[in-house]
Amino acid sequence: PPTPESGNPFQGYDLYLSPYYAEEVVAAAAQISDPTLKAKALKVKDIPTYIWFDVVRKTPDLGKYLADASNIQRATGRKQLVQIVVYDLPDRDCAAAASNGEFHLNDGGMAKYKNYVDLLVAEVRRYPDVRVVAVVEPDSLANLVTNMNVTKCRGAEAAYKEGVVYALRQLSSVGVYSYIDAGHAGWLGWKDNLAPSGRLFSQIYKDAGSSGFIRGIATNVANYNSLSTNNRDPITKDNDNWDEVRYINALSPLLRQNGWNAQFIVDQGRSGVQNIRQEWGNWCNVRGAGFGMRPTLSTPLSAIDAIVWVKPGGEADGTSDTSAVRYDTHCGKSDAHKPAPEAGTWFQEYFVALVQNANPPL
Ligand SMILES: O=[N+]([O-])c1ccc(O[C@@H]2O[C@H](CO)[C@@H](O[C@@H]3O[C@H](CO)[C@@H](O[C@@H]4O[C@H](CO)[C@@H](O)[C@H](O)[C@H]4O)[C@H](O)[C@H]3O)[C@H](O)[C@H]2O)cc1
Ligand SMILES: [Mg+2]
């Protein structure tokens, strides 16, 4: 089996551009008539984002992307790194409705999930020359820290732990470097949530075999927080960890004292504009957001391996159609951009706004 390299897994690699996202962006730009805005929009297709495997039917696509990356590597001599999101736990998104998944615990969901992981891993095994980095199961373990009062989360607790540990073990067996999702400053960064988070994530790391391939934690996935700021957003009052650097500086020692020297990556894909939310818990299609700081390895903390774009800006967070099965009231809030399509599907007006509000500008 492969052995993990020490150090930053991103170092020395080119970030593979998602063809899936590039296609969405090109189609979106074609709908923009203003030439200046169209040109800005087209620049987004050259920014690396994570490829979300949110349904099992997408798993064969990973083989296509890895073959493509392998060809690029051979043609250019430049090492390629493919960034994916593993996101298909049974009873997914247990505290919300917008991103409920295809697998259900009361319908053989755990076996189906393990098969989904096995299919992803089989694709990776076929391309050992390409590096893969995975963000593992956004929101899942964070929900186990703060939402055990939600019946569906209580019912999913054992499955989330078993599923994430299985995914980590299998991904490590084929040399994938994993970052476990741990919410964001406005979720687990609250004083009361930090110690339980330190215990939970370290336990998962150990249960998964403490592999060197389990590199660390991903924060702010599909959220809008600042990486680091001195003028805190008013919604962050009562929480001294008002940005992701402060959250990481608070969480990191708690992981270390529980036996895990975790590193971090931070999503900044939709963090370009602050002071746009009525309250910190609002996460759905927040109006006024802008593309944020571009992916980079130059980060403010040695603990942060990379700034990344995990949530592909322009893909919705959830539908605003109140009659939809997956309608979540957060997507109907005053600061939510409406009308919005189903989670993961293309939201043209929102994408245009992200382009217009981008900071730094496109
Ligand atoms: O004044 N005080 O001292 C004090 C102390 C404690 C307080 O309680 C804290 O309040 C926080 C809100 O401020 C809560 O954080 C929210 O929790 C939600 C899940 O329940 C998250 O929603 C997810 O968001 C994901 C995208 O990020 C979506 O993909 C996903 O579908 C969606 O479900 C929100 O982001 C996240 O901001 C904490 O739980 C809660 O513990 C509050 C005040
Ligand atoms: Mg979501």
Side-chain angles (χ1 to χ4, degrees):
T3 53
E5 291 174 23
S6 62
N8 187 338
F10 292 86
Q11 195 68 53
Y13 284 78
D14 284 359
L15 298 183
Y16 178 73
L17 295 177
S18 163
Y20 183 92
Y21 189 60
E23 194 177 321
E24 289 178 321
V25 170
V26 167
Q31 296 173 51
I32 300 173
S33 49
D34 177 283
T36 309
L37 192 55
K38 183 197 280 284
K40 287 181 177 224
L42 278 170
K43 289 182 180 176
V44 176
K45 76 174 166 55
D46 296 324
I47 300 176
T49 55
Y50 276 65
I51 305 166
W52 289 58
F53 289 89
D54 58 319
V55 284
V56 66
R57 73 171 181 285
K58 287 184 182 177
T59 51
D61 296 343
L62 179 54
K64 284 185 343 193
Y65 303 139
L66 293 172
D68 186 25
S70 184
N71 291 337
I72 293 168
Q73 195 157 281
R74 227 187 333 277
T76 65
R78 299 180 62 84
K79 295 188 291 185
Q80 301 296 308
L81 189 154
V82 176
Q83 301 178 108
I84 68 172
V85 178
V86 176
Y87 189 54
D88 211 8
L89 275 170
D91 288 15
R92 190 177 75 192
D93 205 25
C94 62
S99 294
N100 290 173
E102 60 186 336
F103 298 148
H104 309 284
L105 284 171
N106 65 9
D107 180 21
M110 181 51 80
K112 292 172 182 173
Y113 180 71
K114 289 182 173 176
N115 176 60
Y116 154 85
V117 170
D118 294 346
L119 290 170
L120 284 177
V121 165
E123 297 293 354
V124 175
R125 190 177 285 113
R126 290 168 49 206
Y127 300 92
D129 56 326
V130 177
R131 178 155 290 184
V132 178
V133 166
V135 166
V136 177
E137 295 297 344
D139 306 334
S140 59
L141 298 177
N143 273 317
L144 300 189
V145 176
T146 67
N147 286 310
M148 291 307 279
N149 60 313
V150 176
T151 307
K152 190 174 177 184
C153 294
R154 219 170 23 255
E157 182 188 15
Y160 280 13
K161 291 176 177 176
E162 180 183 344
V164 168
V165 166
Y166 184 81
L168 290 168
R169 283 185 175 279
Q170 296 309 104
L171 291 164
S172 299
S173 75
V174 289
V176 173
Y177 290 87
S178 290
Y179 293 85
I180 310 173
D181 184 89
H184 57 88
W187 192 349
L188 303 185
W190 296 90
K191 198 166 56 63
D192 298 355
N193 298 334
L194 284 165
S197 299
R199 285 193 294 274
L200 174 62
F201 288 98
S202 302
Q203 191 57 52
I204 293 293
Y205 166 70
K206 286 176 237 174
D207 292 349
S210 306
S211 163
F213 284 115
I214 308 174
R215 177 71 182 172
I217 294 278
T219 80
N220 202 46
V221 171
N223 213 274
Y224 312 82
N225 299 336
S226 286
L227 171 67
S228 177
T229 181
N230 285 322
N231 47 342
R232 64 196 290 179
D233 188 322
I235 55 172
T236 68
K237 67 178 181 49
D238 306 327
N239 178 349
D240 287 343
N241 299 315
W242 68 76
D243 59 30
E244 295 302 298
V245 160
R246 282 171 170 80
Y247 170 39
I248 288 164
N249 278 330
L251 180 61
S252 165
L254 300 177
L255 297 169
R256 224 182 349 271
Q257 74 192 27
N258 282 290
W260 187 20
N261 294 335
Q263 289 290 114
F264 295 79
I265 55 176
V266 184
D267 191 352
Q268 286 291 286
R270 302 189 302 179
S271 295
V273 184
Q274 292 304 307
N275 303 356
I276 53 176
R277 282 177 279 187
Q278 295 301 315
E279 43 187 303
W280 212 350
N282 294 353
W283 49 267
C284 190
N285 305 317
V286 176
R287 184 189 297 281
F291 283 117
M293 148 191 334
R294 307 306 184 260
T296 178
L297 302 195
S298 54
T299 72
L301 299 179
S302 57
I304 301 175
D305 285 337
I307 304 304
V308 290
W309 284 17
V310 184
K311 172 73 176 179
E315 295 179 3
D317 295 314
T319 179
S320 61
D321 173 358
T322 56
S323 68
V325 171
R326 297 201 307 177
Y327 175 68
D328 188 295
T329 55
H330 287 83
C331 306
K333 289 197 165 237
S334 60
D335 57 8
H337 194 142
K338 300 182 275 299
E342 281 284 340
T345 64
W346 194 253
F347 189 173
Q348 181 68 12
E349 296 72 24
Y350 198 83
F351 171 75
V352 172
L354 286 170
V355 172
Q356 289 170 318
N357 300 329
N359 173 26
L362 284 163

